[in-house]
Amino acid sequence: MGGRGQRALGPGHADDAYAVVTPTLGRPSLSACLRALAEAGGPRPVRVVLVDDRHRTGGAPLTVDVPAPLRGVTSVVRGRARGPAAARNDGWRAAGDVPWIVFLDDDVVPGPTWGDDLALDLAEATDDTAAITARIDVPLPPDRRPTDWERNTAGLATARWITADMVYRRAALEAVGGFDERFRRAFREDADLALRVIGAGWTVSAGARTTTHPVRPADRWVSVRLQAGNADDVLMTRLHGPGWWSRAGAPRGRLPGHLAVTATAAAALSCAVLRRPRAAAVCAAAWLAGTAEFALARIAPGPRTRDELATMALTSVAIPPAAVWHWLRGQVAHRRTPALVTYEASAPPRARHRLVRERVRR
C-alpha cells in the first residue's frame, strides 16, 4: 500500500483496485448516486454490484439509470430481503477477488473529487488496515431550524463507522465472516463489524473523501419505527459487553427514561383498574411530567411549526412504550446469544456459534 505503487493482486487487479457494493430497495436516488460516482474524478471502480433487496418484486427488473462509464462493470444481483447486512454480504461476495470493497448506500452522493480522495485513502492504508471511513455531510435547511427527523439524519455525520460510505479490505471481511445478518435494520451492523475486525487485530482509519447524505422524506411516525433499534442494542451488549457504547462512540439514548415513563403509565393503569384513584392520579401525573419533558426536549431545537409540534406531541407519547417493547423483545430474542470472545473474533458467525456449543457440551 502506502508507497508500494500498484502491485497486481490476482487476475489483473492492482492492490488499490476497488469494487462498489450498493444494496438498494429501488429508490430513485440510486441513479443520482451512480451518476455522481461516474462523474467523480480519479480511478473508477473495477466493479459495481447493485444488490436488489426488494421484497416480492414479482420479477420486475430494478429500475436504474447506470451512467455509460459504469455500464461495462455494473451488475445486479438478487438479494434475500433480509436487511442491509445480508445484502452487503451478498454484494461483496459477488464482487470477486477485488482487494477493496466500498460500501455505498443508495441515497448518498459521492463528492466531485471522491475517486481521487479514495485513491489517497487507500495509498495511506497500512497492512493491518481493515477499513477506512469517509466524511459524511448532511445538508440541513439554511433558512430554519432542523426538524427532529433532520437532526436524527444529521447524526450520521458524526457516526464513527457508518457504512453509508465505508471501504473494507476484502481480506478483513473474509477473516471475520462479513456482516452479522442478525442485524436486520440499517442500525448497529456497522459498529458490530468494526468492533469485530478491531478485535481480530485489524485497525480502522479515518479517510479524507467526502460523501453527501441528503435527508430523505419521512412520515410523521418514522421516529417511532426507529425504536426497533433498541433490540439491536441488546444484541450488541450480548456480543460485545456493556462497554461497547464507549468503544463505538455511540450515544446511549434515553432508554432509562423511557423505562421510567412507561412504568409510570403501567402503574397508573393498574391503579385505576384496582380502583385506587389517588395512586392512579399520582402515577398519571408522573407519566405526564416525563412525557412533557421528553416532548419539550425535542421541540426546543426544532422549527416549532404547527406540524412539527403535533408530530412531537404524538410521537413523544408513543416512543417510550415502543422503545421498551423492542428492548424487551431483544432481551427475549437474544437471551441465549453468547458473548464474542477475542480468540473467536475472526471466525464467521456460524462457526463461532458452533465453537461455543461444542465448548458447552464438553
Side-chain angles (χ1 to χ4, degrees):
M1 294 306 302
R4 294 200 299 270
Q6 293 192 346
R7 176 175 53 82
L9 288 180
H13 292 312
D15 64 354
D16 58 356
Y18 69 96
V20 170
V21 170
T22 299
T24 183
L25 297 175
R27 295 189 184 109
S29 57
L30 175 60
S31 294
C33 174
L34 294 177
R35 185 166 56 251
L37 179 63
E39 294 173 354
R44 290 199 177 102
V46 297
R47 288 176 189 164
V48 176
V49 180
L50 307 179
V51 184
D52 182 359
D53 210 37
R54 294 174 297 166
H55 185 59
R56 294 180 182 176
T57 63
L62 181 67
T63 302
V64 58
D65 180 18
V66 180
L70 299 179
R71 287 174 191 164
V73 298
T74 299
S75 61
V76 179
V77 301
R78 191 75 181 96
R80 292 167 283 153
R82 293 181 57 84
R88 293 190 188 109
N89 281 342
D90 294 338
W92 73 261
R93 287 165 182 153
D97 59 352
V98 183
W100 293 94
I101 306 294
V102 180
F103 296 106
L104 285 180
D105 284 354
D106 67 353
D107 56 352
V108 302
V109 181
T113 61
W114 186 89
D116 284 321
D117 295 336
L118 174 62
L120 292 174
D121 289 344
L122 297 179
E124 294 177 358
T126 60
D127 289 338
D128 64 350
T129 299
I132 308 171
T133 64
R135 297 174 181 174
I136 303 298
D137 175 50
V138 180
L140 296 175
D143 56 343
R144 60 166 174 80
R145 293 179 176 183
T147 64
D148 180 73
W149 170 239
E150 289 166 343
R151 296 195 305 274
N152 181 281
T153 305
L156 299 176
T158 55
R160 182 172 293 180
W161 297 312
I162 181 173
T163 41
D165 180 350
M166 183 77 155
V167 55
Y168 265 92
R169 191 189 296 271
R170 164 174 286 277
L173 292 171
E174 291 173 342
V176 300
F179 290 88
D180 189 329
E181 297 181 9
R182 288 171 295 185
F183 292 94
R184 298 290 293 272
R185 287 163 292 276
F187 189 70
R188 302 305 189 206
E189 86 290 353
D190 46 9
D192 167 73
L193 178 59
L195 288 173
R196 283 191 287 121
V197 297
I198 291 172
W202 300 83
T203 62
V204 178
S205 61
R209 65 194 186 282
T210 300
T211 293
T212 298
H213 193 305
V215 180
R216 65 174 181 262
D219 63 77
R220 172 168 288 175
W221 302 101
V222 62
S223 58
V224 179
R225 294 195 299 275
L226 289 177
Q227 300 311 309
N230 284 281
D232 297 317
D233 283 346
V234 174
L235 177 55
M236 286 291 290
T237 302
R238 291 284 191 269
L239 292 172
H240 301 283
W244 74 266
W245 301 90
S246 59
R247 286 185 285 142
R252 291 300 299 262
R254 295 180 63 115
L255 180 61
H258 294 334
L259 288 167
V261 168
T262 304
T264 58
L269 291 173
S270 298
C271 291
V273 169
L274 295 173
R275 298 182 180 180
R276 299 176 62 181
R278 289 187 179 180
V282 170
C283 292
W287 169 82
L288 182 60
T291 301
E293 184 277 329
F294 180 41
L296 290 173
R298 301 170 69 209
I299 290 170
R304 305 178 192 178
T305 61
R306 179 177 299 179
D307 184 69
E308 180 73 358
L309 290 173
T311 298
M312 295 299 97
L314 292 170
T315 57
S316 293
V317 173
I319 283 175
V324 172
W325 162 251
H326 287 294
W327 178 76
L328 291 172
R329 182 174 59 82
Q331 295 289 345
V332 173
H334 305 302
R335 65 190 183 280
R336 296 180 180 176
T337 299
L340 178 68
V341 294
T342 302
Y343 70 87
E344 292 172 353
S346 61
R350 289 183 180 177
R352 182 166 64 248
H353 298 159
R354 185 173 62 252
L355 286 170
V356 172
R357 288 196 298 268
E358 290 174 352
R359 185 168 66 245
V360 171
R361 284 198 298 268
R362 289 197 295 268

